Amino acid sequence: NAGVTQTPKFQVLKTGQSMTLQCAQDMNHEYMSWYRQDPGMGLRLIHYSVGAGITDQGEVPNGYNVSRSTTEDFPLRLLSAAPSQTSVYFCASSKRGTGTTANVLTFGAGSRLTVL
Amino acid sequence: SQKIEQNSEALNIQEGKTATLTCNYTNYSPAYLQWYRQDPGRGPVFLLLIRENEKEKRKERLKVTFDTTLKQSLFHITASQPADSATYLCALVRGSGNTGKLIFGQGTTLQVKP
């Protein structure tokens, strides 16, 4: 059981370049989300998905696109990278339900992105 | 808007002492609150969840309290060890229902000195 796997771990981009951060989970979790973490700002929600084919915006969605074609995968796309998108990105998943595991997130190890 | 605040200053304590971290929230009435641990270069890891009708929750050396009147949660680590050094995050569910969307505090870094 790998949990939540993110690739790449590190990436350097030039302004205007595009790239995709990959996220895959093998726990059969229904919900997946992307957060960015910046010093002093905490984790902020970018986009989330409650199931295959369903995505919605979080707190800071501008400049990012997502899609969810399968339960397992939830890639995050930067169409035209900007220096303000320099951050550490975390993918997370959680199980649908109302018990004690509801809304408990399992995080990936993170992807550190630098935009020059 | 909904807001969560944790003490941004690092907490330095001596090994064996009890560490107490604070999480305050405003404009919110959460059904439950979560605590996560984050080590440098890694993703957060879930530790404990406490519901609004629970005053206190324990897990080994960890204890969490939840005061919905004060809008505050306290996170205690008793008999602290250098291995407990990490950043601790509190989190609340964003909006209603179970959607996996959380609001996080900025985290408090704990340093336990031997």
Side-chain angles (χ1 to χ4, degrees):
Chain A
N1 235 3
V4 178
T5 302
Q6 289 184 236
T7 57
K9 196 163 179 60
F10 300 96
Q11 183 72 49
V12 178
L13 290 178
K14 294 181 180 178
T15 297
Q17 287 185 317
S18 62
M19 77 156 301
T20 299
L21 300 178
Q22 302 291 345
C23 176
Q25 55 93 7
D26 62 358
M27 299 171 287
N28 209 28
H29 283 174
E30 292 84 0
Y31 303 144
M32 296 186 74
S33 50
W34 277 101
Y35 290 83
R36 60 177 288 175
Q37 187 173 41
D38 303 291
M41 302 284 291
L43 287 156
R44 292 182 291 169
L45 181 65
I46 304 172
H47 284 285
Y48 68 97
S49 169
V50 297
I54 306 170
T55 64
D56 207 345
Q57 297 181 350
E59 182 185 0
V60 287
N62 293 339
Y64 308 95
N65 279 353
V66 292
S67 60
R68 184 126 177 247
S69 54
T70 67
T71 301
E72 295 78 20
D73 300 298
F74 191 43
L76 179 71
R77 297 183 185 85
L78 285 71
L79 299 179
S80 180
S84 61
Q85 293 178 304
T86 294
S87 187
V88 181
Y89 292 85
F90 288 99
C91 179
S93 71
S94 61
K95 193 159 184 58
R96 179 189 300 151
T98 56
T100 56
T101 58
N103 287 313
V104 170
L105 300 184
T106 300
F107 284 88
S111 298
R112 183 175 292 272
L113 175 67
T114 301
V115 183
L116 302 175
Chain B
S1 61
Q2 299 163 343
K3 197 173 180 182
I4 302 178
E5 288 189 351
Q6 296 182 255
N7 191 346
S8 58
E9 292 184 12
L11 179 63
N12 296 300
I13 65 168
Q14 206 67 32
E15 182 176 8
K17 301 292 185 183
T18 296
T20 299
L21 285 67
T22 304
C23 176
N24 294 298
Y25 58 93
T26 57
N27 299 327
Y28 204 55
S29 297
Y32 50 86
L33 181 146
Q34 302 178 18
W35 284 89
Y36 289 78
R37 169 182 171 142
Q38 186 174 22
D39 291 286
R42 294 181 172 243
V45 174
F46 171 75
L47 294 175
L48 278 171
L49 178 154
I50 185 165
R51 299 184 184 279
E52 61 177 342
N53 60 353
E54 297 175 317
K55 296 295 183 187
E56 181 180 297
K57 197 84 169 278
R58 291 176 184 262
K59 179 182 177 182
E60 298 172 354
R61 294 183 297 110
L62 307 181
K63 185 178 85 170
V64 172
T65 63
F66 194 12
D67 190 325
T68 55
T69 301
L70 292 178
K71 293 188 181 296
Q72 181 181 80
S73 176
L74 298 180
F75 178 83
H76 306 273
I77 305 176
T78 58
S80 59
Q81 305 165 0
D84 295 326
S85 298
T87 296
Y88 293 86
L89 308 170
C90 67
L92 298 170
V93 173
R94 179 187 299 272
S96 61
N98 167 25
T99 56
K101 298 184 294 179
L102 301 184
I103 305 171
F104 284 86
Q106 70 270 44
T108 298
T109 298
L110 172 66
Q111 187 73 34
V112 181
K113 298 180 180 178

